[in-house]
Amino acid sequence: MHLKAPIELHSFSALQQLARRTNDVVWLDLSVGDVPPWDAQDWGELLRDKHIRLVAASSYPKDADAIAALDAGCAGYCHAFSDPDTLLQVHQVTSAGHVWIGQHLMQQLIQAANRAKPQDIFPTPSWDDALTLREREVAKLAAHGASNSTIAEQCDITERTVKAHLSAVFEKLGVSDRLQLALKVHGIQ
C-alpha cells in the first residue's frame, strides 16, 4: 500500500492557507501558539467543508480535547509522540476517509454507550440474528471494550481470527467501527 507523505504544519495560519489547495491528510502540532479553541468559528469554516482531513497531534492529549477536536471536524486526534506504528495506523485510517480516536477514547465512548443503554420497553428484532455463535461472542466482547488480544485469549483464537470475525460482523450489521458496533449491540440508535 502506498501512502502519500503527511503534510506537517506548525501554525494555524499555514493550515488555513493550505486548506484552500489540498485534499490530503494534514497533521497539525497543537503546541503551536496560534491554534484557536475548538469551538472557534475558524474551525467550523475550515473543517466542515472537508477540504482537508486534519489530524490534531497533542503533546499532552486529553479525552475532552479529543472529543472537542473530533466534534469540530478533525479526522483524527493522537499523541504527538506516538510510536511510528501508531502514527502509520493513524495516517492509514484517516487517508481512507475514516476517523482515528485511539484505543483509550474508544473504550471511554463504548463505556458511555454501555451506561446509556436504554431499557427495552418493546421487544425489537435481535441485532445478532445474522451472526454465527462465534461472531456473536466476538461482537459482544468488542462492544464491551475488550481489545483484540483480550478477545483472542477469552475465545481461544488468534488475533487474526478476531479481526476476521469483526470484519464479518461489521459487514453483516452494516457498521464501520467498534463504537457503532457497541451502539448496535446495546440497542442505541
Side-chain angles (χ1 to χ4, degrees), residues 2-47:
H2 175 70
L3 293 173
K4 290 172 72 174
I7 299 166
E8 297 179 45
L9 298 175
H10 301 284
S11 75
F12 186 74
S13 58
L15 173 64
Q16 289 175 306
Q17 292 173 2
L18 180 69
R20 295 183 187 97
R21 57 187 171 137
T22 189
N23 217 8
D24 294 324
V25 173
V26 178
W27 294 69
L28 179 66
D29 183 351
L30 295 177
S31 66
V32 300
D34 65 342
V35 176
W38 290 113
D39 58 356
Q41 185 176 358
D42 294 333
W43 288 114
E45 294 169 4
L46 185 70
L47 298 175

Side-chain angles (χ1 to χ4, degrees), residues 61-80:
K62 299 178 181 92
D63 288 346
D65 246 7
I67 292 169
L70 296 166
D71 190 46
C74 285
Y77 181 93
C78 66
H79 197 294

Side-chain angles (χ1 to χ4, degrees), residues 19 29 31 49 75 90 115-116 156 165 177-178 181 183 186:
D29 183 351
S31 66
D49 55 12
V90 173
R115 288 189 299 271
D156 196 28
H165 283 308
D177 57 43
R178 286 174 180 252
L181 175 63
L183 295 173
H186 298 300

